[in-house]
Amino acid sequence: MPVWLREHSWRQSGSAVFLSLPVPGVRVTAANIFCTDRYLKVSVPPFLFEAILYAPIDDTNSTAKIGNGIVFFTLYKKEVGMWDSLTLENGNKETLQYLRENAVRKAHEKAKEETEAKKVTKQEHKKYALEATMKLEEAERKRIEELKEQERQKVTKELELWEDQQKDVENQKKVQKEGQLHEEVGQLKEKKKEKNNKTSIPSEETLKTRLKPTKGSGSYSMFSENLKEEQLPAPRSSGTIKINFTSRVFPTALRESRVAEEEEWLHKQAEARRIISADLSELEDLKEEEKNPDWLKDKGNKMFATGNYLAAVNAYNLAVRLNNKRPLLYLNRAACHLKLRNLHKAIEDSSKALELLTPPVPDNENARVKAYVRRGTAFCQLELYAEGLQDYEAALKIDPKNKTIEKDAEKIRHIIQGTMQNS
């Protein structure tokens, strides 16, 4: 049997009701609170609090703050006025039962409408993220094409300038050669003229003597000489050399490889392909690089850097579906959820990253610090300062010299102390 919570205090103004409900010894979360316009329920086993409100409230804008064993409600009235009591006291059992069932029915209908709205919004966000990604890629492609065109024009101008310079150099050389040739021809003419002037006309006897052929063993004629043919060696005989290679997947030689690491890599690749072919039939239209978790992680990082957090979440979601054993994917997605104020999802992703970052070693210290800080930040934004302080202190144990984390932890301590004094 549940233990009914009877002790509570409330006060009101013309537009709001302030209700303080002590819940000793148990931890209350948002999931333990159910509220509609006429019905309020807090169920934390073994405790139970239920109230049929005196008049309708605005359950959308009403708030509940949880901390230090107390739940403090701020309930905004739909109509300005003063209530005679917090709950409806004159109603009979059937009326109360009807109001309770009506409240549950309205809550289910509202939840269904919100689910449908979220589904439509999610589809619109996906469509927007895809369009934004395509626009970014198109802009990047145009930028690259413009750079290529600029480089091509620059190289073309440099080539034309070089060709003009080469033509000028060749023309200069040609002019110099013509000048030198002209000078040499003039010198030869002058020498020939001088030689003709010095040479005398020979007599007939001298001409006959010069024209007599020589006889004897000392005679020589260039036309009667038998030229020796050059003796060349015979061509080599042809043959075939056979080379056998070891059948391997990797380009390195077997003697240079590490068989154990290669087998592990091949196993991981086969497992990734099996997952893709098993439950990701919608990815058939994607390119090969878009099915790579590393490529998707880098894509998500670029989207996060440009402030497109929804597109980054989509990239990390697909990367997680391809490989759900990489803590950095959850850690980066938690950062996106913090920016989008999806605080519960940020807590879940940070917790999952901490689960995967085991065992704690020096190589993953930085990642564990980020996971604790992001989860602690989400807790604090949900006003769960005690849980947030625990995560910040865990981060300080790993990195005690981090002054930023130390200052944030001190701020949280002051907030907790102020809350305790006010209560």
Side-chain angles (χ1 to χ4, degrees):
M1 293 295 293
V3 179
W4 290 87
L5 294 173
R6 304 296 184 185
E7 296 182 0
H8 62 274
S9 59
W10 71 286
R11 55 189 177 85
Q12 64 175 325
S13 63
S15 59
V17 175
F18 305 97
L19 173 62
S20 179
L21 179 65
V23 186
V26 293
R27 179 182 175 183
V28 183
T29 63
N32 302 123
I33 301 173
F34 177 72
C35 181
T36 63
D37 58 345
R38 292 292 304 274
Y39 182 67
L40 176 63
K41 179 181 178 181
V42 179
S43 177
V44 188
F47 299 108
L48 178 65
F49 174 80
E50 186 179 49
I52 304 297
L53 299 177
Y54 183 82
I57 62 169
D58 185 1
D59 57 325
T60 303
N61 296 323
S62 299
T63 60
K65 294 184 179 180
I66 305 169
N68 300 321
I70 297 175
V71 184
F72 185 78
F73 294 94
T74 302
L75 308 175
Y76 294 100
K77 301 176 182 178
K78 284 189 175 181
E79 297 180 358
V80 178
M82 302 301 290
W83 292 1
D84 296 336
S85 62
L86 177 64
T87 60
L88 184 63
E89 297 178 351
N90 297 328
N92 54 26
K93 186 176 181 181
E94 289 78 9
T95 303
L96 297 178
Q97 182 66 23
Y98 170 75
L99 291 174
R100 186 183 297 108
E101 292 176 354
N102 188 40
V104 173
R105 180 178 55 79
K106 287 184 177 180
H108 285 306
E109 292 177 355
K110 183 179 179 181
K112 185 177 180 180
E113 292 175 357
E114 290 178 352
T115 302
E116 293 295 329
K118 286 182 180 179
K119 186 176 180 180
V120 174
T121 304
K122 185 178 180 181
Q123 292 177 351
E124 292 177 353
H125 287 171
K126 283 185 178 180
K127 183 178 179 181
Y128 174 76
L130 181 60
E131 292 177 352
T133 303
M134 293 175 65
K135 288 181 180 179
L136 287 175
E137 290 179 351
E138 181 67 18
E140 183 69 13
R141 186 186 64 78
K142 288 183 179 179
R143 187 183 68 83
I144 293 173
E145 291 295 333
E146 290 176 357
L147 290 176
K148 287 182 178 179
E149 182 64 22
Q150 291 176 2
E151 290 295 326
R152 188 188 65 79
Q153 293 178 359
K154 181 179 177 182
V155 172
T156 303
K157 290 181 180 178
E158 292 177 354
L159 182 60
E160 292 176 353
L161 180 62
W162 179 81
E163 289 178 350
D164 294 339
Q165 292 176 352
Q166 292 296 319
K167 289 180 180 178
D168 293 340
V169 172
E170 289 178 358
N171 291 333
Q172 291 178 1
K173 289 182 178 179
K174 187 176 181 180
V175 171
Q176 290 178 357
K177 286 183 178 180
E178 290 178 353
Q180 291 177 359
L181 183 61
H182 183 70
E183 291 178 0
E184 291 177 357
V185 170
Q187 292 176 0
L188 289 173
K189 286 181 178 180
E190 291 178 358
K191 288 181 180 180
K192 187 175 182 181
K193 191 182 290 185
E194 292 176 358
K195 187 176 182 180
N196 291 334
N197 292 334
K198 292 180 181 180
T199 304
S200 60
I201 300 173
S203 61
E204 292 182 359
E205 296 180 356
T206 307
L207 290 173
K208 291 180 180 179
T209 304
R210 288 182 180 180
L211 292 173
K212 284 183 178 180
T214 57
K215 296 181 180 180
S217 60
S219 63
Y220 174 79
S221 176
M222 61 181 296
F223 299 103
S224 62
E225 181 182 5
N226 295 324
L227 298 177
K228 297 180 180 180
E229 294 182 358
E230 184 178 358
Q231 299 295 328
L232 298 176
R236 296 179 181 178
S237 58
S238 61
T240 303
I241 299 175
K242 293 183 179 180
I243 301 175
N244 296 325
F245 296 96
T246 305
S247 177
R248 285 181 49 73
V249 177
F250 296 91
T252 57
L254 183 61
R255 62 180 179 277
E256 299 174 1
S257 66
R258 298 180 180 179
V259 178
E261 295 179 0
E262 291 176 358
E263 291 296 332
E264 182 182 358
W265 185 85
L266 289 172
H267 177 73
K268 289 181 179 179
Q269 291 296 318
E271 183 67 19
R273 286 193 295 271
R274 184 188 65 78
I275 293 174
I276 291 173
S277 60
D279 56 345
L280 293 180
S281 58
E282 66 271 23
L283 302 181
E284 293 177 355
D285 296 334
L286 297 180
K287 300 178 181 178
E288 283 301 320
E289 64 269 14
E290 294 175 345
K291 298 178 183 179
N292 186 354
D294 292 326
W295 186 89
L296 290 169
K297 182 175 76 68
D298 295 338
K299 194 74 173 178
N301 294 344
K302 292 179 182 179
M303 293 298 176
F304 183 87
T306 59
N308 194 351
Y309 305 119
L310 288 174
V313 168
N314 290 334
Y316 294 137
N317 287 341
L318 185 54
V320 168
R321 294 177 67 185
L322 293 171
N323 188 349
N324 58 359
K325 300 298 182 182
R326 302 187 63 177
L328 290 182
L329 297 176
Y330 294 97
L331 195 58
N332 293 354
R333 191 170 67 178
C336 295
H337 284 315
L338 277 177
K339 293 291 185 179
L340 296 171
R341 294 196 61 79
N342 299 330
L343 303 179
H344 291 89
K345 291 184 178 180
I347 292 172
E348 292 176 1
D349 282 346
S350 301
S351 301
K352 183 64 177 179
L354 288 171
E355 290 179 7
L356 296 174
L357 289 169
T358 54
V361 293
D363 289 340
N364 61 19
E365 283 183 355
N366 189 26
R368 285 187 287 122
V369 169
K370 289 181 179 179
Y372 279 120
V373 169
R374 288 171 186 173
R375 190 172 71 176
T377 303
F379 277 132
C380 290
Q381 291 184 9
L382 289 171
E383 299 185 357
L384 300 176
Y385 299 110
E387 291 79 1
L389 181 59
Q390 290 179 0
D391 283 341
Y392 271 87
E393 288 176 347
L396 279 175
K397 288 182 180 179
I398 301 172
D399 188 8
K401 295 182 180 181
N402 194 316
K403 299 298 182 182
T404 303
I405 298 176
E406 187 176 356
K407 290 180 180 178
D408 292 340
E410 190 63 29
K411 290 179 182 178
I412 297 171
R413 292 191 188 96
H414 287 309
I415 292 173
I416 293 174
Q417 290 176 0
T419 304
M420 293 175 65
Q421 291 177 359
N422 292 334
S423 61

